[in-house]
Amino acid sequence: MVQVSAFARTVFINILLVLFSVAASSCAIAANDTAVTGWIVPANSSFTTAKPLLQNAITTKIKSDLSHVRIEAEQNYWFIIDLSQYRKSSLSVIYTDNAYLSHINFYALDDDFSLLSTEQNDINPVINKVLPHQIYNNDGAHWAVVSARHNDIYWINIGLTTQQQFTELVNTKLRNFTLIIGLLLLCISIAGTVYILSHQTTSLYLLAYFGCILGEFLIAKGMLNYFSSEQLPLWFAKLQFSFQVLALAVISFCFIHYLQSQTILKARQYKLVGYVSLFSVIAILSCFMKQSAHFIVITLSLGFMLVLLNYLFFYWRSHTKQAIPYEFLFVWCAVVLQTIFWQATLVTGSSLYLVNDLLIVLNALAFVLALLMFERKRVKQFTYSLTHDDETQLPNKMLLIECLDSQVNLAAAHSILLFRPAVLSNARANFGYEHVNEHIKVTMNKLAQQLASMNVLCVETNIQGFRSIVRLDDSTYAVVILGKLELSQIEQVVCVINSVFADGITHERLHLIDKVDIGVANYPLHASTSSQLIQRGLQALGVKPLHGERWHMFNIENVTLSQRRIAIASALKEAIEFDQLSLFFQPQIDLNTGKIHGGEALLRWEHPQLGHVPPDLFIPIAESSGIISDLTEWVITQALIYQKQITAILPEHIVSINISAKDLLRKDLPVLFITLLDEFKLNASNIMLELTESATLFEGVDIKNALNDYRLIGVKIAIDDFGTGYSSLAYLSKMGFDEIKIDKQFVMNIEYSKNDQTICRATCDIAKSLGSYVVAEGIEDSQSMIKLQSYGCEIGQGYYFSRPLAFDAYMQWLEHHLGATPSTTQDEQRASGLIEKNNY
């Protein structure tokens, strides 16, 4: 931004220097000009035949001012100048400041109107085509005659000067021409650079405007004569005024575009674009018309553009609530002034070319200044947006890091306090972003006022006051506490934050109570850099609060646990892809007959670096990280593959598969079951889906509909860990589970606990009344098994029968058990191999 300002000042100073130089040169030209008077003789004849007319004119006609004379179309004019009345010198120069005359000749005559020899145009001969002139010998010449003709109505300006003055005149005009051309090219390069850097449409309009002004200036100075044939100068003269109309049209388009972008112009006013385009096209086509028609068209077009620019400007002033920037006012005044002088030059025929040159410089100054000021404001806005939040205008993370870096460079101790109002996300969903953002602004201003008296870091000071609160993201804010870590100081800030947010958010008689999560980290105790300090604060903020805790200090143990969870989540994805998981089976035994009822498929994970990872650890991580769907599909697929092999030796075998609550509502999971059951030719009734009680209580209506989808397939449903949740009899009756599993915490101590005995007996009674059978987990001795048999429990599993086995070991266990004779008693079966506690 500083560089842009310096560049703008440099351009501004250079343009002022050009303006001063052109003005000084114009004054010098005006001072050196000599008023030329003489006789005007219209005659279409050669010098020989026109000589008597010239001699007669000096005796019968009155002298006229030859510095600005109107000539008619296709009419030859003779201009006679009495050189004896002017200052004597050895050589003099007569010239015309008209580059587009169709014909011009210079003659030097003695007292008797006889031709004298003239000097060659040795002074700047290349200038003769732009500034026609002739050098004559003042000692012998008494009369100077100029013969001129043009294809259309035109104006001729005749001047008389010395050779030295003419050389100064040429040099001055050349210098002014070079300065103005250089200025216009500089303006074009600035507008082009701005467009390349910012892609602003305004820059394109300025490029077109400066292009039109450049073309008009080159034509006005006759520089295009070098590239034209004998018949083209008239076209160039007319095209000069067409370029003036086009330049004003471009400015009008720019103004209309701006008003449209500000939604100020109404739809019906868009036809102004059509009017501007129409007058622009007519102005260009008028170059093919006669001079009189061209004059009328250009005059009307310039008048229309002037009226339109004034209308747009005053319409803008009357329909905008904002103050009009002074640079736009400067531009409007410059354009209006330029248009008025263009019209004056065209209508009156006055010689205002020097004034027009000054106005070109003035317009360039106005437009470049406006463009650079606009870009400066845009850069400031862009810089502001980089360091502030768009919605609340609070400082953002970038500005916070800058302030923290300055504290770290000073080695000053400080603590970052991050807080997250828990109600914001819910409020946005119910009240909308606009209302919540307004609430945030009011609340943060109130909080900032209370924090102003505390020892907190001032992140920013502006016209709005003291800024100490930073918005890190959509719902997280930060405050920096200066000084060494003091719990009392942190408690004080926490109390202020909680008190400010205690009122919650109210909208249309709806009120949401707010709660604030707060995390704290300290420099240099917890971090050595500003970025690391923010990271530590976020880690402290992410810790789930315990009952009664209002804030958390960063703890390295929590970070270690969090990093382990991240490592597990990352490794779990690879474990699924590279088949690092395995299924173990724990047999389920019919307690009445001693026969194998089935087996529960249990997921196991042995990682090369992490070692054995229990399901209680990686299943919640899989659910939170979104990997649970892939994991469930792998378990179901692998379990049914194994079931295919098991049913080859035990057709009645029932495999129990645990399913996550998050996967229960997936519509594609029943399709997966149908596909696999059909592929492996399995009986759906031999598949048991086990759902935890907490999972079945999640959104009960949808759960029931989901369970019906599985029942249509033929798959059976079991409720696992029964007794640990809050299921009611009505709920169990509505769900209609095929199997109820008693959690092992009620079974393992059943022999000694009256409460556990009551729970197990009641569960068996409930299952019988609902038409379900009961499976007891955690049976580890015969006494527990006998009690459960007495309660009516049908199926049991636990270490008393077998611990969970790998698939190959489970197949061996099945073959060994199935090898026992049918006449073997239940006690003999247990003794001969059913009880695998000591064998596996």
Side-chain angles (χ1 to χ4, degrees):
M1 184 170 61
V2 176
Q3 294 177 350
V4 173
S5 301
F7 178 71
R9 288 195 298 269
T10 302
V11 173
F12 180 73
I13 293 172
N14 288 334
I15 294 178
L16 285 180
L17 291 176
V18 174
L19 180 64
F20 176 78
S21 177
V22 173
S25 302
S26 302
C27 293
I29 292 175
N32 292 329
D33 280 346
T34 301
V36 180
T37 59
W39 295 268
I40 305 173
V41 179
N44 289 326
S45 59
S46 63
F47 175 77
T48 304
T49 57
K51 183 177 178 179
L53 298 175
L54 301 180
Q55 291 174 330
N56 183 53
I58 61 176
T59 58
T60 60
K61 289 190 175 185
I62 301 175
K63 286 185 178 181
S64 302
D65 183 11
L66 303 183
S67 60
H68 198 66
V69 180
R70 174 189 171 99
I71 60 177
E72 299 297 328
E74 301 298 341
Q75 173 66 56
N76 193 60
Y77 287 82
W78 297 86
F79 303 94
I80 311 169
I81 303 169
D82 186 1
L83 298 178
S84 62
Q85 63 179 322
Y86 297 104
R87 176 169 45 89
K88 299 293 183 178
S89 60
S90 58
L91 288 175
S92 296
V93 180
I94 188 169
Y95 65 93
T96 62
D97 195 6
N98 304 88
Y100 296 105
L101 289 169
S102 301
H103 166 77
I104 187 166
N105 279 321
F106 300 90
Y107 303 93
L109 308 178
D110 59 11
D111 296 339
D112 298 328
F113 275 78
S114 298
L115 282 173
L116 298 175
S117 61
T118 56
E119 299 287 339
Q120 298 295 324
N121 295 339
D122 296 330
I123 303 176
N124 299 315
V126 294
I127 301 299
N128 191 54
K129 202 168 187 181
V130 178
L131 193 65
H133 64 280
Q134 185 66 56
I135 303 171
Y136 64 91
N137 192 324
N138 197 26
D139 293 334
H142 184 80
W143 308 98
V145 177
V146 180
S147 174
R149 186 181 71 252
H150 196 56
N151 298 331
D152 216 326
I153 299 173
Y154 202 56
W155 294 88
I156 185 171
N157 309 311
I158 300 176
L160 183 66
T161 184
T162 65
Q163 178 181 347
Q164 181 181 0
Q165 291 174 340
F166 182 75
T167 303
E168 294 176 357
L169 173 65
V170 170
N171 292 336
T172 300
K173 285 183 174 290
L174 183 61
R175 181 171 59 252
N176 288 350
F177 174 81
T178 304
L179 289 174
I180 295 177
I181 289 295
L183 173 62
L184 292 176
L185 293 177
L186 175 62
C187 294
I188 290 174
S189 62
I190 292 174
T193 303
V194 171
Y195 177 74
I196 292 173
L197 295 178
S198 61
H199 297 284
Q200 294 293 321
T201 308
T202 306
S203 304
L204 288 179
Y205 285 116
L206 288 185
L207 277 174
Y209 173 78
F210 287 129
C212 293
I213 294 297
L214 180 61
E216 187 271 342
F217 182 75
L218 289 174
I219 296 173
K221 298 305 177 182
M223 300 310 294
L224 296 181
N225 277 351
Y226 294 113
F227 311 102
S228 62
S229 64
E230 185 178 354
Q231 299 299 324
L232 286 182
L234 179 60
W235 290 80
F236 289 142
K238 292 181 178 180
L239 192 60
Q240 171 191 353
F241 301 105
S242 297
F243 269 125
Q244 294 175 359
V245 176
L246 291 178
L248 295 177
V250 170
I251 297 302
S252 301
F253 283 136
C254 182
F255 214 161
I256 293 173
H257 174 80
Y258 173 76
L259 296 181
Q260 287 177 343
S261 66
Q262 301 294 317
T263 64
I264 296 178
L265 281 182
K266 298 178 181 178
R268 61 182 178 83
Q269 293 171 311
Y270 292 169
K271 59 185 178 182
L272 293 176
V273 177
Y275 292 150
V276 175
S277 302
L278 178 62
F279 275 93
S280 301
V281 172
I282 293 176
I284 296 175
L285 295 178
S286 67
C287 296
F288 298 92
M289 304 176 185
K290 292 184 177 181
Q291 185 72 15
S292 57
H294 174 74
F295 170 80
I296 295 174
V297 170
I298 295 299
T299 303
L300 293 177
S301 298
L302 290 175
F304 169 77
M305 296 299 177
L306 181 61
V307 172
L308 177 62
L309 286 172
N310 284 276
Y311 169 75
L312 292 175
F313 179 78
F314 289 104
Y315 184 86
W316 179 30
R317 287 197 59 183
S318 62
H319 288 79
T320 182
K321 299 180 180 178
Q322 301 177 352
I324 297 179
Y326 64 89
E327 61 268 18
F328 286 105
L329 184 62
F330 187 29
V331 166
W332 175 77
C333 292
V335 172
V336 169
L337 188 62
Q338 178 80 79
T339 306
I340 292 174
F341 273 90
W342 277 342
Q343 281 190 308
T345 304
L346 184 65
V347 174
T348 65
S350 302
S351 180
L352 300 176
Y353 296 112
L354 296 179
V355 179
N356 285 330
D357 291 348
L358 293 176
L359 289 177
I360 287 177
V361 178
L362 182 64
N363 271 272
L365 172 65
F367 281 109
V368 171
L369 178 64
L371 179 63
L372 294 179
M373 291 294 291
F374 176 78
E375 284 301 307
R376 183 175 181 270
K377 290 180 180 179
R378 198 181 65 83
V379 170
K380 288 180 65 177
Q381 292 174 353
F382 178 72
T383 304
Y384 184 86
S385 66
L386 289 178
T387 56
H388 291 77
D389 176 64
D390 293 336
E391 296 176 346
T392 61
Q393 304 305 314
L394 290 173
N396 63 11
K397 181 181 177 181
M398 181 178 293
L399 194 57
L400 174 64
I401 291 179
E402 291 180 2
C403 294
L404 292 178
D405 285 339
S406 63
Q407 294 295 314
V408 171
N409 293 334
L410 296 173
H414 56 279
S415 301
I416 187 169
L417 186 148
L418 303 181
F419 60 95
R420 182 181 293 138
V423 77
L424 290 184
S425 59
N426 192 19
R428 290 190 181 99
N430 291 277
F431 302 155
Y433 266 85
E434 183 177 354
H435 176 76
V436 175
N437 287 335
E438 288 299 321
H439 170 80
I440 291 174
K441 292 178 182 178
V442 174
T443 304
M444 292 304 173
N445 288 334
K446 180 179 178 181
L447 179 59
Q449 292 176 2
Q450 297 193 26
L451 292 176
S453 59
M454 300 182 180
N455 190 25
V456 296
L457 177 65
C458 176
V459 179
E460 181 185 35
T461 303
N462 54 21
I463 58 176
Q464 298 176 347
F466 179 84
R467 291 285 188 93
S468 59
I469 304 172
V470 176
R471 188 180 189 185
L472 281 187
D473 56 34
D474 197 43
S475 58
T476 305
Y477 301 83
V479 173
V480 179
I481 304 173
L482 299 175
K484 295 182 179 180
L485 181 62
E486 295 182 7
L487 298 184
S488 59
Q489 192 177 25
I490 294 176
E491 281 287 351
Q492 185 180 9
V493 176
V494 169
C495 288
V496 171
I497 293 175
N498 282 321
S499 64
V500 170
F501 284 93
D503 295 336
I505 299 180
T506 302
H507 180 62
E508 296 179 354
R509 298 182 180 180
L510 296 176
H511 184 72
L512 298 178
I513 303 299
D514 208 348
K515 181 178 75 72
V516 184
D517 298 325
I518 300 176
V520 180
N522 175 262
Y523 170 87
L525 181 61
H526 301 137
S528 58
T529 64
S530 57
S531 298
Q532 190 180 41
L533 182 65
I534 295 175
Q535 179 188 359
R536 300 303 194 199
L538 289 173
Q539 290 171 342
L541 183 63
V543 177
K544 293 183 179 180
L546 299 177
H547 181 69
E549 290 182 335
R550 297 192 300 176
W551 60 280
H552 283 280
M553 181 73 73
F554 171 77
N555 190 332
I556 192 63
E557 293 181 359
N558 293 333
V559 175
T560 303
L561 179 59
S562 177
Q563 292 176 347
R564 176 172 171 80
R565 291 174 61 89
I566 294 174
I568 290 175
S570 176
L572 187 57
K573 186 69 175 177
E574 296 181 358
I576 298 173
E577 294 178 356
F578 298 105
D579 202 21
Q580 295 178 358
L581 302 172
S582 60
L583 281 184
F584 278 53
F585 288 84
Q586 186 170 32
Q588 295 176 339
I589 306 300
D590 190 324
L591 299 182
N592 296 320
T593 64
K595 294 182 179 180
I596 300 173
H597 174 75
E600 181 181 3
L602 303 173
L603 185 59
R604 296 292 183 264
W605 182 20
E606 197 73 27
H607 191 269
Q609 285 78 36
L610 300 176
H612 176 70
V613 185
D616 294 343
L617 178 59
F618 71 78
I619 293 297
I621 294 175
E623 291 179 344
S624 62
S625 61
I627 309 176
I628 190 64
S629 298
D630 296 335
L631 190 62
T632 300
E633 291 182 7
W634 185 91
V635 170
I636 293 173
T637 303
Q638 197 64 38
L640 295 187
I641 290 174
Y642 288 156
Q643 175 71 358
K644 174 66 174 177
Q645 300 180 44
I646 294 172
T647 54
I649 61 174
L650 184 60
E652 299 84 9
H653 182 272
I654 295 177
V655 61
S656 298
I657 305 172
N658 293 280
I659 186 171
S660 169
K662 289 192 175 183
D663 283 325
L664 190 62
L665 299 178
R666 286 177 51 193
K667 297 298 183 182
D668 59 335
L669 204 56
V671 177
L672 177 63
F673 271 105
I674 295 174
T675 303
L676 294 177
L677 290 173
D678 182 67
E679 180 181 354
F680 299 136
K681 307 300 182 184
L682 295 175
N683 188 354
S685 61
N686 288 347
I687 309 299
M688 181 73 69
L689 289 184
E690 293 190 5
L691 309 174
T692 59
E693 186 175 3
S694 58
T696 60
L697 291 173
F698 179 71
E699 297 182 358
V701 175
D702 291 334
I703 293 294
K704 185 176 185 302
N705 293 333
L707 294 181
N708 289 336
D709 293 338
Y710 291 100
R711 288 194 176 96
L712 290 175
I713 302 172
V715 175
K716 295 181 179 180
I717 308 297
I719 179 171
D720 195 10
D721 301 333
F722 182 74
T724 58
Y726 303 94
S727 300
S728 64
L729 292 177
Y731 183 80
L732 291 177
S733 175
K734 182 175 65 174
M735 291 299 180
F737 295 105
D738 300 289
E739 178 184 289
I740 298 176
K741 296 189 71 172
I742 304 175
D743 189 69
K744 62 182 179 182
Q745 65 174 316
F746 305 115
V747 176
M748 296 180 69
N749 200 31
I750 192 174
E751 186 177 355
Y752 307 102
S753 173
K754 296 294 184 182
N755 291 333
D756 291 345
Q757 293 174 9
T758 302
I759 292 173
C760 292
R761 182 185 301 109
T763 300
C764 293
D765 293 340
I766 292 172
K768 289 179 181 179
S769 64
L770 296 176
S772 306
Y773 59 88
V774 181
V775 177
E777 298 179 322
I779 300 177
E780 295 192 352
D781 52 55
S782 59
Q783 290 80 5
S784 299
M785 183 191 67
I786 293 172
K787 279 190 175 295
L788 290 168
Q789 281 180 320
S790 65
Y791 298 154
C793 179
E794 292 95 344
I795 311 297
Q797 70 179 80
Y799 277 24
Y800 178 67
F801 306 107
S802 175
R803 68 183 64 200
L805 303 171
F807 178 69
D808 293 337
Y810 183 64
M811 292 295 289
Q812 294 178 10
W813 187 92
L814 288 176
E815 292 174 353
H816 179 72
H817 174 72
L818 294 175
T821 60
S823 59
T824 307
T825 63
Q826 182 175 329
D827 293 337
E828 290 174 343
Q829 289 176 5
R830 296 194 194 100
S832 62
L834 184 59
I835 302 174
E836 298 294 337
K837 182 177 180 179
N838 299 323
N839 296 333
Y840 292 93

